[in-house]
Amino acid sequence: MTNATSRITGIDIARGLAVLGMFAAHLGHEVNGRPTPTWLVVVDGRSAATFAVLAGLSVALFTGRRTPPSGPALRNARWRVVSRAAVILVIGAFLSALGTPVAVILPSYAVTFLLLVPALRAPPVVATYLAAVAAVVGPLLVALATTAPPGEPNWLLRTLGTDSGLILDLFLTGYYPAVVWIAYMLLGLAVGRLDLGALRVQLALGATGVVLALVGYLGSDALLAALGPNASPLALRLARAEPHDDSTLELVGNSGVALAVLAACLLVTTAPATARVARVVLDPLASTGAMALSVYSFHIVAIAILGNDVVWRTESNAVLGWFIVVTLVLATAWRHWLGRGPLERLMRAVSVGAVTPSGTPAAPQGSAVPRP
Protein backbone atom coordinates (compact mmCIF):
# COMPACT_ATOMS: atom_id res chain seq x y z
CA MET A 1 0.00 0.00 0.00
CA THR A 2 1.38 3.41 -0.93
CA ASN A 3 0.70 6.90 0.31
CA ALA A 4 0.63 8.27 -3.23
CA THR A 5 -2.86 9.66 -2.82
CA SER A 6 -1.77 11.81 0.13
CA ARG A 7 0.88 13.76 -1.81
CA ILE A 8 0.86 16.79 -4.06
CA THR A 9 1.44 14.97 -7.32
CA GLY A 10 2.61 18.07 -9.17
CA ILE A 11 5.49 18.57 -6.73
CA ASP A 12 6.57 14.95 -7.11
CA ILE A 13 6.50 15.28 -10.90
CA ALA A 14 8.58 18.47 -10.79
CA ARG A 15 11.06 16.76 -8.46
CA GLY A 16 11.19 13.76 -10.77
CA LEU A 17 11.97 16.01 -13.73
CA ALA A 18 14.73 17.68 -11.69
CA VAL A 19 16.34 14.35 -10.78
CA LEU A 20 16.24 13.05 -14.34
CA GLY A 21 17.61 16.39 -15.48
CA MET A 22 20.61 15.80 -13.23
CA PHE A 23 20.96 12.36 -14.85
CA ALA A 24 21.16 14.12 -18.21
CA ALA A 25 23.71 16.64 -16.92
CA HIS A 26 25.92 13.80 -15.69
CA LEU A 27 25.43 11.20 -18.42
CA GLY A 28 24.38 13.12 -21.53
CA HIS A 29 26.47 12.86 -24.68
CA GLU A 30 28.70 15.85 -25.44
CA VAL A 31 30.68 16.97 -28.46
CA ASN A 32 33.44 19.52 -27.82
CA GLY A 33 32.02 20.15 -24.38
CA ARG A 34 28.50 20.90 -25.64
CA PRO A 35 25.47 18.64 -25.11
CA THR A 36 24.12 16.71 -28.07
CA PRO A 37 21.36 17.41 -28.92
CA THR A 38 21.96 21.02 -28.00
CA TRP A 39 18.62 21.45 -26.22
CA LEU A 40 19.96 19.26 -23.39
CA VAL A 41 21.84 22.35 -22.23
CA VAL A 42 18.61 23.34 -20.44
CA VAL A 43 19.22 20.68 -17.76
CA ASP A 44 22.71 21.81 -16.80
CA GLY A 45 22.60 23.77 -13.56
CA ARG A 46 18.86 24.36 -13.78
CA SER A 47 17.94 20.81 -12.73
CA ALA A 48 19.98 21.03 -9.53
CA ALA A 49 18.57 24.49 -8.83
CA THR A 50 15.02 23.21 -9.28
CA PHE A 51 15.78 20.35 -6.91
CA ALA A 52 17.04 22.87 -4.34
CA VAL A 53 13.91 25.03 -4.63
CA LEU A 54 11.77 21.93 -4.17
CA ALA A 55 13.86 20.92 -1.16
CA GLY A 56 13.00 24.21 0.51
CA LEU A 57 9.37 23.74 -0.47
CA SER A 58 9.35 20.29 1.14
CA VAL A 59 10.70 21.79 4.36
CA ALA A 60 7.74 24.17 4.37
CA LEU A 61 5.33 21.28 3.87
CA PHE A 62 6.53 19.27 6.85
CA THR A 63 6.96 22.29 9.15
CA GLY A 64 3.46 23.71 9.17
CA ARG A 65 2.58 24.27 5.51
CA ARG A 66 0.89 27.67 5.16
CA THR A 67 1.34 28.45 8.88
CA PRO A 68 4.95 28.81 10.05
CA PRO A 69 5.55 26.81 13.22
CA SER A 70 5.97 28.33 16.67
CA GLY A 71 6.44 27.15 20.23
CA PRO A 72 6.92 23.39 20.69
CA ALA A 73 6.14 22.81 17.02
CA LEU A 74 9.03 25.10 16.03
CA ARG A 75 11.47 23.18 18.22
CA ASN A 76 10.32 19.91 16.68
CA ALA A 77 10.50 21.37 13.19
CA ARG A 78 14.06 22.57 13.75
CA TRP A 79 15.11 19.17 15.05
CA ARG A 80 13.52 17.44 12.09
CA VAL A 81 15.39 19.63 9.62
CA VAL A 82 18.68 19.18 11.49
CA SER A 83 18.27 15.40 11.68
CA ARG A 84 17.48 15.23 7.97
CA ALA A 85 20.55 17.31 7.24
CA ALA A 86 22.63 14.82 9.21
CA VAL A 87 21.28 11.88 7.20
CA ILE A 88 21.87 13.69 3.92
CA LEU A 89 25.42 14.59 4.98
CA VAL A 90 26.27 10.97 5.78
CA ILE A 91 24.81 9.72 2.50
CA GLY A 92 26.57 12.49 0.61
CA ALA A 93 29.91 11.67 2.24
CA PHE A 94 29.53 8.02 1.24
CA LEU A 95 28.66 8.91 -2.36
CA SER A 96 31.57 11.36 -2.59
CA ALA A 97 33.94 8.66 -1.31
CA LEU A 98 33.03 6.49 -4.30
CA GLY A 99 35.20 8.79 -6.41
CA THR A 100 32.90 9.20 -9.41
CA PRO A 101 33.40 12.16 -11.76
CA VAL A 102 30.10 13.60 -10.52
CA ALA A 103 30.12 16.57 -8.14
CA VAL A 104 27.84 15.12 -5.45
CA ILE A 105 25.41 17.78 -4.34
CA LEU A 106 24.21 16.19 -1.08
CA PRO A 107 26.92 17.45 1.33
CA SER A 108 26.23 21.04 0.28
CA TYR A 109 22.49 20.37 0.54
CA ALA A 110 22.97 19.22 4.11
CA VAL A 111 24.80 22.41 5.03
CA THR A 112 22.17 24.49 3.27
CA PHE A 113 19.43 22.75 5.25
CA LEU A 114 21.18 23.88 8.42
CA LEU A 115 21.32 27.46 7.15
CA LEU A 116 17.58 27.27 6.53
CA VAL A 117 16.73 26.45 10.16
CA PRO A 118 16.68 30.07 11.44
CA ALA A 119 14.16 30.99 8.71
CA LEU A 120 11.54 28.35 9.53
CA ARG A 121 9.29 30.92 11.24
CA ALA A 122 9.42 33.33 8.33
CA PRO A 123 6.14 34.01 6.49
CA PRO A 124 6.26 33.92 2.67
CA VAL A 125 7.04 37.61 2.20
CA VAL A 126 9.92 37.56 4.68
CA ALA A 127 11.31 34.32 3.23
CA THR A 128 11.18 35.88 -0.25
CA TYR A 129 13.09 38.94 0.93
CA LEU A 130 15.68 36.71 2.59
CA ALA A 131 16.03 34.76 -0.67
CA ALA A 132 16.58 38.01 -2.57
CA VAL A 133 19.25 39.15 -0.12
CA ALA A 134 20.98 35.77 -0.31
CA ALA A 135 20.83 35.91 -4.12
CA VAL A 136 22.82 39.16 -4.03
CA VAL A 137 25.19 38.63 -1.11
CA GLY A 138 26.01 34.96 -1.69
CA PRO A 139 27.20 35.30 -5.31
CA LEU A 140 29.22 38.39 -4.39
CA LEU A 141 31.03 36.49 -1.64
CA VAL A 142 31.69 33.54 -3.94
CA ALA A 143 32.97 35.80 -6.70
CA LEU A 144 35.26 37.64 -4.28
CA ALA A 145 36.57 34.33 -2.95
CA THR A 146 37.17 32.68 -6.32
CA THR A 147 38.25 35.56 -8.55
CA ALA A 148 41.73 37.07 -8.43
CA PRO A 149 44.21 38.49 -10.95
CA PRO A 150 46.55 35.81 -12.35
CA GLY A 151 49.42 35.03 -10.00
CA GLU A 152 47.97 37.03 -7.11
CA PRO A 153 46.51 35.55 -3.90
CA ASN A 154 42.83 36.05 -3.28
CA TRP A 155 42.42 38.77 -0.67
CA LEU A 156 39.23 37.32 0.83
CA LEU A 157 40.71 33.85 1.31
CA ARG A 158 43.87 35.44 2.69
CA THR A 159 41.72 37.36 5.17
CA LEU A 160 39.96 34.15 6.18
CA GLY A 161 43.36 32.58 6.70
CA THR A 162 42.88 29.64 4.33
CA ASP A 163 42.44 28.82 0.67
CA SER A 164 41.26 25.22 1.00
CA GLY A 165 39.39 22.83 3.24
CA LEU A 166 36.12 20.93 3.23
CA ILE A 167 34.18 23.49 5.27
CA LEU A 168 35.29 26.33 3.01
CA ASP A 169 34.30 24.32 -0.06
CA LEU A 170 30.86 23.52 1.33
CA PHE A 171 30.11 27.11 2.26
CA LEU A 172 31.98 29.24 -0.24
CA THR A 173 34.37 27.82 -2.83
CA GLY A 174 32.95 24.44 -3.84
CA TYR A 175 30.77 23.39 -6.76
CA TYR A 176 27.57 24.02 -4.77
CA PRO A 177 28.44 26.78 -2.26
CA ALA A 178 25.86 26.93 0.51
CA VAL A 179 25.97 30.74 0.73
CA VAL A 180 24.55 30.79 -2.80
CA TRP A 181 22.26 27.77 -2.75
CA ILE A 182 20.48 28.92 0.37
CA ALA A 183 18.72 31.44 -1.89
CA TYR A 184 17.01 28.59 -3.76
CA MET A 185 15.87 26.89 -0.56
CA LEU A 186 14.58 30.14 0.92
CA LEU A 187 12.57 30.69 -2.26
CA GLY A 188 11.19 27.17 -1.95
CA LEU A 189 10.33 27.80 1.70
CA ALA A 190 8.37 30.90 0.67
CA VAL A 191 6.53 29.03 -2.08
CA GLY A 192 5.69 26.14 0.25
CA ARG A 193 3.89 28.53 2.60
CA LEU A 194 1.43 29.46 -0.18
CA ASP A 195 -1.87 27.83 -1.10
CA LEU A 196 -0.47 25.63 -3.85
CA GLY A 197 -3.90 24.24 -4.70
CA ALA A 198 -5.23 27.67 -5.70
CA LEU A 199 -5.34 28.40 -9.42
CA ARG A 200 -4.38 32.04 -8.85
CA VAL A 201 -1.24 30.96 -6.98
CA GLN A 202 -0.27 28.49 -9.69
CA LEU A 203 -0.73 31.11 -12.43
CA ALA A 204 1.21 33.67 -10.39
CA LEU A 205 4.08 31.21 -9.92
CA GLY A 206 4.17 30.47 -13.63
CA ALA A 207 4.11 34.13 -14.66
CA THR A 208 6.74 35.03 -12.07
CA GLY A 209 8.91 32.18 -13.27
CA VAL A 210 8.81 33.32 -16.88
CA VAL A 211 9.65 36.90 -15.91
CA LEU A 212 12.55 35.84 -13.68
CA ALA A 213 13.97 33.57 -16.38
CA LEU A 214 13.88 36.37 -18.95
CA VAL A 215 15.39 38.89 -16.54
CA GLY A 216 18.16 36.51 -15.49
CA TYR A 217 19.31 35.14 -18.82
CA LEU A 218 18.56 38.09 -21.12
CA GLY A 219 19.77 40.52 -18.46
CA SER A 220 23.09 38.66 -18.35
CA ASP A 221 23.47 38.86 -22.14
CA ALA A 222 22.74 42.59 -22.11
CA LEU A 223 25.09 43.28 -19.20
CA LEU A 224 27.95 41.29 -20.75
CA ALA A 225 27.50 43.17 -24.01
CA ALA A 226 27.56 46.48 -22.17
CA LEU A 227 30.68 45.57 -20.17
CA GLY A 228 32.64 44.28 -23.16
CA PRO A 229 35.43 41.69 -23.11
CA ASN A 230 37.91 44.02 -21.41
CA ALA A 231 35.94 44.36 -18.19
CA SER A 232 37.50 43.14 -14.97
CA PRO A 233 37.31 39.41 -14.22
CA LEU A 234 35.18 40.16 -11.17
CA ALA A 235 32.66 42.18 -13.19
CA LEU A 236 32.44 39.51 -15.87
CA ARG A 237 31.97 36.80 -13.26
CA LEU A 238 29.12 38.69 -11.63
CA ALA A 239 27.47 39.37 -15.00
CA ARG A 240 27.53 35.82 -16.39
CA ALA A 241 24.60 33.42 -16.11
CA GLU A 242 26.10 30.20 -17.45
CA PRO A 243 25.44 26.96 -15.51
CA HIS A 244 27.17 26.94 -12.12
CA ASP A 245 28.51 30.48 -12.46
CA ASP A 246 26.70 31.10 -9.15
CA SER A 247 26.01 34.70 -10.10
CA THR A 248 22.94 36.66 -9.07
CA LEU A 249 21.61 36.66 -12.63
CA GLU A 250 22.06 32.90 -12.90
CA LEU A 251 20.15 32.46 -9.64
CA VAL A 252 17.37 34.68 -10.94
CA GLY A 253 17.13 32.79 -14.22
CA ASN A 254 17.34 29.36 -12.62
CA SER A 255 14.75 30.30 -10.02
CA GLY A 256 12.45 31.38 -12.82
CA VAL A 257 12.81 28.01 -14.53
CA ALA A 258 12.11 26.20 -11.24
CA LEU A 259 8.95 28.22 -10.59
CA ALA A 260 7.70 27.78 -14.15
CA VAL A 261 8.25 24.01 -14.05
CA LEU A 262 6.54 23.73 -10.67
CA ALA A 263 3.58 25.83 -11.83
CA ALA A 264 3.14 23.75 -14.99
CA CYS A 265 3.23 20.50 -13.01
CA LEU A 266 0.72 21.79 -10.46
CA LEU A 267 -1.60 23.10 -13.16
CA VAL A 268 -1.65 19.96 -15.28
CA THR A 269 -2.30 17.71 -12.28
CA THR A 270 -5.06 19.80 -10.69
CA ALA A 271 -6.97 21.33 -13.62
CA PRO A 272 -10.24 19.37 -14.05
CA ALA A 273 -9.65 18.95 -17.79
CA THR A 274 -6.23 17.33 -17.43
CA ALA A 275 -5.79 16.09 -13.86
CA ARG A 276 -7.00 12.50 -14.24
CA VAL A 277 -5.04 11.76 -17.40
CA ALA A 278 -1.93 13.62 -16.22
CA ARG A 279 -1.78 11.75 -12.93
CA VAL A 280 -1.87 8.42 -14.79
CA VAL A 281 0.47 9.30 -17.65
CA LEU A 282 3.01 11.08 -15.44
CA ASP A 283 2.87 8.56 -12.60
CA PRO A 284 6.39 7.21 -13.35
CA LEU A 285 7.77 10.74 -12.99
CA ALA A 286 5.80 11.27 -9.79
CA SER A 287 7.12 7.96 -8.41
CA THR A 288 10.67 9.00 -9.25
CA GLY A 289 10.19 12.35 -7.53
CA ALA A 290 8.60 10.75 -4.47
CA MET A 291 11.82 8.81 -3.84
CA ALA A 292 14.27 11.37 -5.22
CA LEU A 293 16.95 10.86 -2.55
CA SER A 294 17.09 7.12 -3.25
CA VAL A 295 17.04 7.60 -7.02
CA TYR A 296 19.78 10.24 -6.98
CA SER A 297 21.97 8.20 -4.64
CA PHE A 298 21.59 4.93 -6.54
CA HIS A 299 22.47 6.58 -9.84
CA ILE A 300 25.78 7.69 -8.30
CA VAL A 301 26.37 4.12 -7.08
CA ALA A 302 25.54 2.79 -10.56
CA ILE A 303 28.08 5.16 -12.12
CA ALA A 304 30.69 3.96 -9.63
CA ILE A 305 29.95 0.32 -10.56
CA LEU A 306 29.90 0.89 -14.33
CA GLY A 307 33.02 3.06 -14.31
CA ASN A 308 33.88 6.64 -15.15
CA ASP A 309 33.65 6.05 -18.89
CA VAL A 310 29.85 6.24 -18.71
CA VAL A 311 30.37 9.90 -17.85
CA TRP A 312 33.49 10.84 -19.81
CA ARG A 313 33.37 8.64 -22.93
CA THR A 314 29.79 8.61 -24.08
CA GLU A 315 29.28 7.93 -27.79
CA SER A 316 25.55 8.56 -27.69
CA ASN A 317 22.75 9.13 -25.22
CA ALA A 318 22.05 5.40 -25.00
CA VAL A 319 23.43 5.09 -21.45
CA LEU A 320 21.39 8.10 -20.35
CA GLY A 321 18.30 6.57 -21.93
CA TRP A 322 18.79 3.28 -20.12
CA PHE A 323 19.34 5.06 -16.80
CA ILE A 324 16.08 6.97 -17.27
CA VAL A 325 14.01 3.98 -18.40
CA VAL A 326 15.28 1.68 -15.63
CA THR A 327 14.76 4.41 -13.03
CA LEU A 328 11.17 5.13 -14.12
CA VAL A 329 10.26 1.44 -14.15
CA LEU A 330 11.88 0.52 -10.85
CA ALA A 331 10.73 3.65 -9.03
CA THR A 332 7.14 3.10 -10.15
CA ALA A 333 7.19 -0.56 -9.14
CA TRP A 334 8.81 0.16 -5.77
CA ARG A 335 6.47 2.99 -4.90
CA HIS A 336 3.28 1.08 -5.74
CA TRP A 337 4.37 -2.17 -4.13
CA LEU A 338 6.51 -1.02 -1.21
CA GLY A 339 5.67 2.66 -0.63
CA ARG A 340 8.48 4.99 0.44
CA GLY A 341 11.92 4.62 -1.08
CA PRO A 342 14.63 2.93 1.00
CA LEU A 343 16.54 6.09 1.86
CA GLU A 344 13.29 7.96 2.45
CA ARG A 345 12.42 5.26 5.00
CA LEU A 346 15.77 5.83 6.67
CA MET A 347 15.16 9.58 6.70
CA ARG A 348 11.78 9.14 8.34
CA ALA A 349 13.15 6.68 10.91
CA VAL A 350 15.92 9.06 11.97
CA SER A 351 13.96 12.30 11.97
CA VAL A 352 11.10 13.07 14.33
CA GLY A 353 7.54 13.19 13.03
CA ALA A 354 6.20 16.32 11.40
CA VAL A 355 4.21 18.61 13.67
CA THR A 356 1.71 21.35 13.20
CA PRO A 357 2.02 24.76 14.89
CA SER A 358 -0.21 23.42 17.68
CA GLY A 359 2.21 20.58 18.35
CA THR A 360 -0.05 17.82 17.00
CA PRO A 361 1.09 15.40 14.24
CA ALA A 362 0.85 16.88 10.78
CA ALA A 363 -0.19 15.27 7.52
CA PRO A 364 2.46 13.42 5.53
CA GLN A 365 4.94 15.44 3.51
CA GLY A 366 3.45 16.55 0.25
CA SER A 367 -0.18 16.05 1.28
CA ALA A 368 -2.71 16.79 -1.39
CA VAL A 369 -4.12 20.29 -1.63
CA PRO A 370 -7.51 20.31 -3.41
CA ARG A 371 -8.30 23.18 -5.74
CA PRO A 372 -10.77 25.53 -4.03
Side-chain angles (χ1 to χ4, degrees):
M1 187 72 176
T2 176
N3 67 342
T5 57
S6 66
R7 302 180 63 93
I8 302 180
T9 305
I11 295 175
D12 284 335
I13 293 171
R15 193 183 290 112
L17 288 171
V19 173
L20 296 184
M22 287 191 279
F23 280 24
H26 300 156
L27 299 162
H29 180 50
E30 294 185 351
V31 175
N32 297 324
R34 303 295 294 178
T36 303
T38 54
W39 61 265
L40 278 177
V41 72
V42 302
V43 305
D44 197 4
R46 284 165 276 269
S47 297
T50 299
F51 196 49
V53 171
L54 294 173
L57 189 154
S58 294
V59 170
L61 293 182
F62 68 70
T63 59
R65 295 181 171 274
R66 295 175 62 187
T67 305
S70 60
L74 178 60
R75 289 192 294 273
N76 280 283
R78 286 170 175 166
W79 172 246
R80 190 171 190 191
V81 174
V82 170
S83 60
R84 288 189 168 216
V87 173
I88 292 172
L89 183 61
V90 171
I91 296 172
F94 168 77
L95 296 177
S96 299
L98 295 177
T100 67
V102 174
V104 177
I105 197 171
L106 296 185
S108 292
Y109 264 27
V111 172
T112 310
F113 266 107
L114 295 178
L115 294 181
L116 193 64
V117 169
L120 292 180
R121 292 186 61 186
V125 172
V126 174
T128 301
Y129 282 134
L130 291 174
V133 171
V136 173
V137 176
L140 179 59
L141 290 174
V142 169
L144 291 173
T146 57
T147 306
E152 295 185 17
N154 183 279
W155 70 269
L156 179 57
L157 296 184
R158 187 173 65 246
T159 301
L160 294 174
T162 180
D163 59 359
S164 63
L166 176 61
I167 300 300
L168 190 64
D169 279 349
L170 290 175
F171 279 93
L172 194 61
T173 59
Y175 204 67
Y176 300 104
V179 295
V180 169
W181 286 72
I182 184 62
Y184 293 126
M185 287 201 185
L186 284 166
L187 176 62
L189 183 70
V191 172
R193 299 292 187 212
L194 303 176
D195 182 4
L196 296 177
L199 177 61
R200 66 184 183 279
V201 171
Q202 296 169 0
L203 292 176
L205 288 176
T208 302
V210 171
V211 171
L212 289 178
L214 292 175
V215 169
Y217 302 133
L218 296 184
S220 172
D221 290 342
L223 185 55
L224 287 171
L227 289 172
N230 296 322
S232 70
L234 180 60
L236 292 174
R237 171 68 184 273
L238 292 172
R240 292 199 306 258
E242 292 297 311
H244 300 292
D245 274 335
D246 291 324
S247 68
T248 296
L249 289 172
E250 190 210 355
L251 262 72
V252 170
N254 289 354
S255 297
V257 171
L259 293 182
V261 169
L262 173 62
C265 293
L266 290 172
L267 280 166
V268 76
T269 54
T270 57
T274 60
R276 185 180 298 272
V277 173
R279 287 169 180 265
V280 173
V281 172
L282 299 178
D283 182 66
L285 273 175
S287 297
T288 300
M291 47 192 298
L293 178 61
S294 296
V295 167
Y296 175 87
S297 299
F298 290 147
H299 108 278
I300 300 294
V301 173
I303 291 173
I305 293 172
L306 295 172
N308 293 348
D309 282 355
V310 299
V311 174
W312 292 127
R313 302 191 178 210
T314 57
E315 297 181 358
S316 69
N317 284 310
V319 171
L320 170 62
W322 277 111
F323 263 73
I324 291 175
V325 169
V326 170
T327 295
L328 291 173
V329 171
L330 293 182
T332 303
W334 182 290
R335 186 188 184 205
H336 286 280
W337 291 343
L338 299 173
R340 288 187 182 86
L343 295 183
E344 285 71 20
R345 290 174 183 267
L346 172 64
M347 183 84 75
R348 186 172 181 84
V350 172
S351 64
V352 298
V355 290
T356 64
S358 63
T360 58
Q365 177 186 350
S367 299
V369 181
R371 184 189 297 282

